[in-house]
Amino acid sequence: MRGQGRRRHRAADYARIRRNLSTVLPVLKAWASVGLDLRQITAEHIRTELNQRQGSQARALHHVLRSDFAALKQEKVLCHNPTLGISLTTAVPVPTPLPSDRLRGLLDRLDGSRARLTVGLVAVHGVRPLEVTRLRLDDLDLHRRTLRIRRGKGHQHVVHLDVLTLHLLAAWLTERRRNWPASDNPHLLITSHCAHHPAQPPMSYCALRAAFDQTGMLPKQLWSDRVLDEARHTADPVHLVRVFGIHPHTAVRYVHTAHPDKALAKIR
């Protein structure tokens, strides 16, 4: 791994080597304790070790064993690689819709215009929870009825606001001006803790969670339900990409969940 074998290559750092060693060492010791040499290891031995582990532990061990045996074969220490043909399937979490009765009257149960706007942006427009806290006043264009969502590396997604959200925004902006008329914090959603903070931070995640705690649902849970509900009305993942600005692979997964009877081509 340090690049000093038969074929020179870029050296791995020692932190990575230590991680790999800590992952594979218990397996090597177990094999050595029963008198097995690495040349005697077969695919069945590999599968036995992987079957004793789950999730990330199994994936990590599989990765390290595959890398190590490939290196040993390259160095001609071994004549075969027992990890060839062995793969692990990774379970992809499937989004689960929330019962309609839990969503009915959701906004009416919330206390305060900030909480209603916070939850409304997620439940109606599928804005990601942390993106809600980072929204700025200049992201809002009331004339065009749009809200800009800033994302990494200069990317952005534009949300077209409906009448309900415009009413929620109007109520919050009125309360914001009434409570903190001199605040120079540029973020759309603020609290008494950050309204006049010299660093002008966004609303904290704890403050965001306080709004969702009133609903009895997690922010991610409500966001997932909104995307899944939209997917029920379309079998086109491109539509989900346009509406929510999500990654195509995420859009395909939600459409597959909403329409399990329809086969979609993989997006590469």
Side-chain angles (χ1 to χ4, degrees):
M1 293 187 71
R2 291 298 295 170
Q4 299 175 9
R6 293 176 63 251
R7 297 182 183 178
R8 298 286 174 169
H9 58 82
R10 184 176 180 179
D13 59 71
Y14 286 106
R16 177 185 171 190
I17 294 174
R18 282 193 294 270
R19 287 195 301 270
N20 285 8
L21 183 59
S22 64
T23 298
V24 77
L25 193 56
V27 176
L28 299 181
K29 287 182 176 180
W31 286 338
S33 67
V34 294
L36 286 174
D37 183 271
L38 286 180
R39 297 178 180 85
Q40 299 172 294
I41 300 301
T42 65
E44 188 59 34
H45 291 112
I46 303 292
R47 292 192 182 94
T48 298
E49 294 297 332
L50 294 177
N51 290 337
Q52 294 174 4
R53 295 162 177 80
Q54 295 180 346
S56 59
Q57 289 186 343
R59 290 191 295 273
L61 179 60
H62 177 249
H63 171 76
V64 174
L65 287 175
R66 186 174 57 183
S67 175
D68 287 352
F69 276 106
L72 290 172
K73 185 175 184 299
Q74 178 178 291
E75 295 298 315
K76 295 188 176 182
V77 176
L78 305 178
C79 61
H80 75 288
N81 181 351
T83 66
L84 291 178
I86 298 178
S87 61
L88 291 179
T89 56
T90 303
V92 178
V94 176
T96 304
L98 293 173
S100 58
D101 58 340
R102 294 187 65 186
L103 292 175
R104 191 177 301 117
L106 179 68
L107 298 179
D108 293 336
R109 300 200 302 266
L110 300 176
D111 181 21
S113 60
R114 182 180 61 218
R116 284 189 284 273
L117 177 59
T118 300
V119 174
L121 288 171
V122 177
V124 177
H125 293 286
V127 181
R128 292 185 183 275
L130 283 180
E131 291 176 343
V132 172
T133 66
R134 297 167 184 164
L135 290 172
R136 300 167 67 93
L137 287 169
D138 57 4
D139 291 329
L140 177 62
D141 189 336
L142 291 175
H143 178 69
R144 294 185 173 87
R145 297 186 174 188
T146 60
L147 184 64
R148 176 176 56 188
I149 311 298
R150 302 169 188 260
R151 288 176 176 160
K153 297 181 180 179
H155 296 160
Q156 63 181 30
H157 172 63
V158 176
V159 171
H160 295 274
L161 303 171
D162 64 325
V163 174
L164 171 61
T165 308
L166 287 171
H167 286 317
L168 296 176
L169 278 163
W172 163 246
L173 291 174
T174 299
E175 180 179 330
R176 189 184 194 275
R177 285 192 295 267
R178 183 176 64 248
N179 291 341
W180 305 288
S183 174
D184 57 356
N185 191 308
H187 294 92
L188 174 63
L189 293 163
I190 57 175
T191 66
S192 58
H193 295 289
C194 64
H196 299 289
H197 195 288
Q200 301 179 338
M203 180 177 71
S204 68
Y205 182 74
C206 291
L208 177 134
R209 273 296 303 271
F212 288 90
D213 288 344
Q214 298 179 49
T215 70
M217 289 177 277
L218 296 174
K220 174 64 176 178
Q221 188 180 15
L222 192 57
W223 178 88
S224 180
D225 180 75
R226 174 63 186 95
V227 178
L228 186 57
D229 181 70
E230 189 72 23
R232 293 193 192 99
H233 296 85
T234 178
D236 183 9
V238 176
H239 173 75
L240 299 184
V241 173
R242 290 172 177 168
V243 171
F244 302 113
I246 58 180
H247 192 278
H249 290 289
T250 303
V252 168
R253 181 162 62 92
Y254 274 87
V255 171
H256 275 162
T257 302
H259 306 279
D261 56 319
K262 297 181 180 179
L264 295 175
K266 290 184 179 179
I267 295 180
R268 297 187 180 277

